[in-house]
């Protein structure tokens, strides 16, 4: 069976009555082609079934129509919504979406950016573990948008942890708690610091004693050591860095015969899938993660367009809200 001949740029040029270079520019650098000519070439290309070589188009335009998203832990349900939102926005813009994970390592994150830089138009960095200086240096050479992270002068999307954490403190205060312990996440986590600052400020306003312990691995496996540390602290309420850690804490407390919330209240962050399935169901701070992913890709798209020079760095703050479930209750007498 004879394989059908593939339509080339020269076939389109001959049929459209233009130079082959005009066809190439129509796909690779359309702003350099008259609008009427561009429409004519595109119509002929569609009729002939012509599809440009993406590598050739990228070489001419300087753009790959591809974005990459890097997350520290691909198994963490917290990132599921963020990934989904970013991928859907990229698909809507006819952009290829690449996903990678960095295993909580700043070095791995930086290396992946350097290795992928020539293959993508920009990066969405979710909960980046890199130091501010490293991130700022990379941003001078690469198109970056951050999620759950702030670096001066760089665009990004954050969930409003300040007001959300105060909602959490107010909830615990209304239940009569006078002491809480925050079980922190990784050293390199910007979120861990932001959540502690908001919690401690809110606790001070409400006359609640607040203590920070950790860091602990932000996974279920880190819950054992975190729960033991919380019990030693003597606090009546525990706030975990994220829901995975909180679920691990609930498991360890159950093993030790500590009743939640009768003897100790437990809360988390992120409202991940499964937070309402554990026993007891977890009180947690929720945010629109899917919207965060969409907004970050939108920032990259805007930066790649003519609007970038006008808009400058863009910071998007999304609201958070407290989801009250069974893991928090009145402080023990």
């Amino acid at each position: 069976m004879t394989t059908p001949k593939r339509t080339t740029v020269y076939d389109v040029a001959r049929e459209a009555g233009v130079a082959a270079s005009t066809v190439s520019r129509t796909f690779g650098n359309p702003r350099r082609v008259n609008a009427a000519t561009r429409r004519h070439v595109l119509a002929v290309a569609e009729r002939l079934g012509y599809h440009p070589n993406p590598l050739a188009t990228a070489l001419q335009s300087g753009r790959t129509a591809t974005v990459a998203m890097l997350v520290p832990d691909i198994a963490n349900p917290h990132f599921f919504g963020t990934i989904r939102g970013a991928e859907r926005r990229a698909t809507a813009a006819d952009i290829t979406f690449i996903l990678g994970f960095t295993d909580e390592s700043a070095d791995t994150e930086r290396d992946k950016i350097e290795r992928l830089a020539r293959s993508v138009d920009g990066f969405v960095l979710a909960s980046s573990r890199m130091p501010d200086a490293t991130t700022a240096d990379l941003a001078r050479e690469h198109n970056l948008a951050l999620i759950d992270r702030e670096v001066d002068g760089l665009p990004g999307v954050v969930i409003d942890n300040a007001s959300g954490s105060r909602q959490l403190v107010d909830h615990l205060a209304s239940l009569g708690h006078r002491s809480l312990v925050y079980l922190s996440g990784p050293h390199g986590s910007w979120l861990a610091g932001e959540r502690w600052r908001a919690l401690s400020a809110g606790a001070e306003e409400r006359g609640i004693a607040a203590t920070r312990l950790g860091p602990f691995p932000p996974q279920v496996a880190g819950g054992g050591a975190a729960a033991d540390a919380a019990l030693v602290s003597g606090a009546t309420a525990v706030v975990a860095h994220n829901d995975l850690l909180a679920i691990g804490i609930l498991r360890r407390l159950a093993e030790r015969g500590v009743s939640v919330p009768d003897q100790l209240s437990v809360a988390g962050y992120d409202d991940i899938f499964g937070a309402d399935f554990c026993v007891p169901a977890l009180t947690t701070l929720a945010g629109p993660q899917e919207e965060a992913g969409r907004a970050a890709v939108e920032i990259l798209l805007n930066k790649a367009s003519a609007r970038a020079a006008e808009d400058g760095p863009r910071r998007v703050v999304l609201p958070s809200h407290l989801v009250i479930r069974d893991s928090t209750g009145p402080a023990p007498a």
Side-chain angles (χ1 to χ4, degrees), residues 26 30 38 40 42 48 63 69 79-80 83 102 111 125 130 140 170 175 187 194 222 227 248 250 252 268 278 318 325:
T26 296
R38 184 169 65 246
H40 173 59
L42 290 174
L48 297 181
R63 298 182 60 189
M69 181 177 192
F79 296 111
F80 293 173
I83 293 168
T102 62
D111 289 346
L125 306 182
M130 294 187 298
R140 280 191 277 272
D170 287 346
L175 295 170
H187 269 307
E194 286 298 298
L250 290 177
R252 177 61 173 165
C278 55
L318 301 176
R325 299 193 179 105

Side-chain angles (χ1 to χ4, degrees), residues 78-302:
H78 166 67
F79 296 111
F80 293 173
T82 310
I83 293 168
R84 185 166 54 247
E87 195 277 336
R88 286 177 173 172
R89 182 63 188 91
T91 298
D94 201 21
I95 298 292
T96 300
F97 180 77
I98 297 175
L99 177 65
F101 74 102
T102 62
D103 202 24
E104 301 283 352
S105 167
D107 290 338
T108 300
E109 187 174 5
R110 185 187 64 245
D111 289 346
K112 288 198 172 184
I113 291 173
E114 297 289 8
R115 286 162 57 188
L116 287 170
R118 296 181 121 190
S119 303
V120 302
D121 293 328
F123 295 89
V124 174
L125 306 182
S127 297
S128 174
R129 300 300 190 233
M130 294 187 298
D132 286 4
T134 301
T135 307
D137 286 343
L138 287 169
R140 280 191 277 272
E141 300 179 16
H142 310 298
N143 195 9
L144 305 183
L146 311 179
I147 297 179
D148 289 338
R149 178 69 187 277
E150 287 187 344
V151 176
D152 285 346
L154 300 189
V157 184
V158 294
I159 306 297
D160 189 353
N161 282 283
S163 66
S165 296
R166 288 172 185 270
Q167 293 175 43
L168 182 50
V169 171
D170 287 346
H171 169 62
L172 295 174
S174 73
L175 295 170
H177 292 278
R178 309 263 46 96
S179 60
L180 69 84
V181 58
Y182 173 59
L183 302 175
S184 181
H187 269 307
S189 170
W190 176 84
L191 268 183
E194 286 298 298
R195 287 170 174 172
W196 167 243
R197 279 186 282 275
L199 284 171
S200 58
E204 184 177 2
E205 289 180 5
R206 297 298 181 190
I208 297 176
T211 305
R212 179 180 183 175
L213 299 178
F216 298 99
Q219 296 131 10
V220 173
D228 290 347
L231 291 173
V232 172
S233 75
T236 61
V238 168
V239 180
H241 169 72
N242 67 3
D243 288 348
L244 286 180
L245 183 60
I247 290 170
I249 291 167
L250 290 177
R251 289 184 180 179
R252 177 61 173 165
L253 294 175
E255 290 172 359
R256 295 194 55 171
V258 178
S259 177
V260 177
D262 295 337
Q263 293 175 269
L264 187 65
S265 287
V266 178
Y269 281 89
D270 299 337
D271 193 27
I272 63 171
F273 176 80
D276 54 342
F277 295 161
C278 55
V279 180
L282 184 64
T283 293
T284 181
L285 192 69
Q289 295 300 331
E290 189 165 335
E291 186 176 345
R294 285 197 300 269
V297 172
E298 185 70 32
I299 288 173
L300 288 184
L301 296 177
N302 286 344

Side-chain angles (χ1 to χ4, degrees), residues 1-7:
M1 182 177 178
T2 305
T3 303
K5 181 185 175 184
R6 182 178 178 182
T7 303

